[in-house]
Amino acid sequence: MTELHPDLRENVRMLGELLGQSIQHHPGQDCYELIEQVRAAAKADRRQESGSGQRLVNLLGKLSDDELLPVTRAFNQFLNLANLAEQYHSIRRKRGHESDLMVESLSEVFQRLISGGVSSDDLHEKVCDLRIEYVLTAHPTEVARRTLIMKYDEMSDCLAKLDHDDLLDSEREEIIHRLAQLVSEAWHTDEIRHERPTAVDEAKWGFAVIENSLWTALPKFLRSLDTALTDATGEGLPLQASPIRIASWMGGDRDGNPNVTHEVTREVFLLGRWMAADLYLRDIQSLRAELSMWQANDELRAVVGDAREPYRQVLAELREKLIRTRSWAEARIAGKPADSEGILFENSDFTDPLELCYRSLIDCGLENIANGPLLDTLRRAHTFGLPLIRLDIRQEATRHAGAVAEMVEYLGFGDYLSWTEEERQAFLVKELRGRRPLVPRNWAPSDEVREVLATCEVVAQQTPEALGSYVISMASKPSDVLSVILLLREAGMTHPMRVVPLFETLDDLRGAPDSMAALFEVDWYREYCNGRQEVMIGYSDSSKDAGQMMAAWAQYQAQEKLTEVAGQFDVHLTLFHGRGGTVGRGGGPANRAILSQPPGSVNGSFRITEQGEMIRFKFGLPRLAVQSLTLYTTAVIEATLAPPRAPDPEWREAMDWLTERSLKAYRSVVRDNPDFVPYFRQVTPEQALGKLALGSRPARRKPGGGVESLRAIPWIFAWTQMRMMLPSWLGSDVALKEAFENDRVPVLRDMMREWPFFKTYIDMLEMVLAKADLQIASHYEKTLTDDPRLLELGADLKARLGGCIEHLLELKQQTHLLEKEPVFAQSMQVRNPYTDPLHYLQAELLKRDRESEDKGQVPEMVERALKVTMAGIAAGMRNTG
């Protein structure tokens, strides 16, 4: 077993000791000894290979309600500190080492592509036309509070300072003293939110990620991209190129979230403009100190006359406009009247003066100065713009159909909802071709329809740079797209917005190519979309609907066929991947996932959701963000210029054969077994998840209902908490078992060697199975139910999980899981003595919680400790939903 890097191990040990010191000095609580006993018991139980975990169970079962909370908090806090050390270690730079986590550099990938036959002209063209858009989403999986995240960030800074070999003893002591203070502050800070964040709170959190990390990271990354491109092709990145874009669903995603209203969306648009003005103001004030030179070209002189310091003159005017813009946005947010005279609204209002300064410096031979901080500000301006982020709007298809239906009924045209798809399309296209307004005067729509129309009005008031995509969930027909365009036009929209159907369920994915072909056959629409189309592929709901193996294959085939359909109509297709942090929601290493997409589907453009805690893990620190941007960019460029081979017919047949069996096996449990939903409710913390104030939207799309009404995130979260990991392997177990019984293993091994899609799928399955724990899952069952039928189902599921592990090991010809990922395996082993107590504590707390609810009152300490276990296990597993 490969050991963790000694420096990482040392950092984990040091942080753990500092936490221990904080706990020992905890006033009024003698809990340190108890915590150490629990940790020792967890380690002892792990060492017994066939151990029952009984020592730990007995110890935890004796704890009083008051003792549960500090013990739970201690293990939660340690896991957060271990994550922090690991995250820092992935980006650390020490003398003689470039980075401990090897991320292939841009230069290495460019040279490899050119050596492989890609021309330098093609490479330059594709990089310059690149469009990678990260869509920050507020899915309720970020369990750490913002105040703690800020402390963790400063702890990372302390670890970086300690990495210097030339520190004086006094300097080293000072840094460790500050680190001890921060660890103590974290220990004495309540780690659980007690109030659910609003949609606006979530949007502010997204803006903070930009302010604290991406604002610094983006120009650094673009500098490295420019340098690598120049070295490889002899020509750099154009000044106005913006290969990276940042969008957001925070404040725009109203699908199933009644808390996101048009007022919220309007406020988030304005908050973005306030934040952008504030950030640019800091840049401009710094630039005024930098650009003190007097030389200027004729173009700049024509604007500033004989000013002694021409650049400062231009920047002073921009500064005043930014101050006015910030004040205007602040007043509008507060609902006060505000004068929009002299504010910066269109992106060109800001970029034109900066580009004028840039050209002047270049013309005067001052390239070195032009390509300094001024270039960084320009690149921020072309990437973030004056709105700061591009806000997506997401709404369900039936809401738009309902709005059109009410209008049609009021106007006496008939019952729109009973019309055929052809009749709907004919009506919508006729209205879109015409010029008369459709919304009747003096019409009083229902509240639901009024909200849809009000949202469209807010969207119509924005500049194109402020808008991402209008995503239609549960879309299946051309009329779903056309109705949105009509509603936007009725609201006053004067420019075409990207309208993006989201295909989520298995049936929707299978029907997606025909739906898009039908849409492209509408002449009016082809002209509207101007040869570019975005389609969103849903990972979460398809996996919940069909199981992970079937969903992955359906997603792959849908992308293949959508790429083919777009090619037939000469439309450039951008696929928008709605991936989550877990394998059950399409998660996993991003570069491998991108490189395993169907050939031709990544054609220089790629859009992806980044959710919850994964935003922090990928973009939370500037150097981490640069690393993530590099990882995605190299993968998208390589997938565009050197795509993987298409699967052989034999491989397609094998996937069809496997997924036919996996789908049947998955649904026979989740849909057809009457004991499944009761088992899920009893042995997982699903029903307690609502107590954790994670995000602004409800856990269910509709109140009541079974698994089908549950959002994909709490569905995954609940199974992860008790280590069954069921959504990610159920169905695959039967498919692999029958593959062995039917002598299909040689073909599967060929597929693993030669087909990135299948290799990535199997590797992700292995990672999930390594996180599963039969002993812990059994303990939840024994503690939380005594129903013989539920225990029988649990025994069957655990046997199937064990069988899945055996077959995967045999397929990969390994003796143990993660044999070829030793660092990841060791990381999990280090966490076990801290996650194990949290699991056993959670089972005990769930039991006490349910018993107390039956009596009418849950002790506060039990409820708080239960929430902390959820946060701690999430931290220990490194992904939640």
Side-chain angles (χ1 to χ4, degrees), residues 484-499:
V484 169
I485 301 171
L486 181 61
L487 291 170
L488 288 170
R489 194 196 72 174
E490 289 298 312
M493 194 85 157
T494 55
H495 53 267
M497 182 180 183
R498 292 189 308 237
V499 179

Side-chain angles (χ1 to χ4, degrees), residues 208-227:
V209 172
I210 294 175
E211 177 185 11
N212 297 326
S213 178
L214 286 168
W215 195 256
T216 302
L218 187 105
K220 283 186 178 176
F221 166 74
L222 291 177
R223 279 185 181 281
S224 67
L225 181 60
D226 186 37
T227 301

Side-chain angles (χ1 to χ4, degrees), residues 47 63 110 187 214 376 445 586 700 754 767 858:
R47 280 197 296 269
L63 297 183
F110 291 173
W187 172 245
L214 286 168
D376 289 346
R700 293 181 178 277
E754 305 290 336
M767 186 186 81
V858 179

Side-chain angles (χ1 to χ4, degrees), residues 364-394:
C364 294
L366 303 176
E367 293 94 342
N368 196 30
I369 296 170
N371 290 320
L374 174 61
L375 180 59
D376 289 346
T377 298
L378 260 170
R379 286 192 165 140
R380 287 184 184 114
H382 283 301
T383 299
F384 297 112
L386 289 169
L388 194 63
I389 50 105
R390 296 162 186 268
L391 191 64
D392 276 15
I393 305 297
R394 183 165 78 131

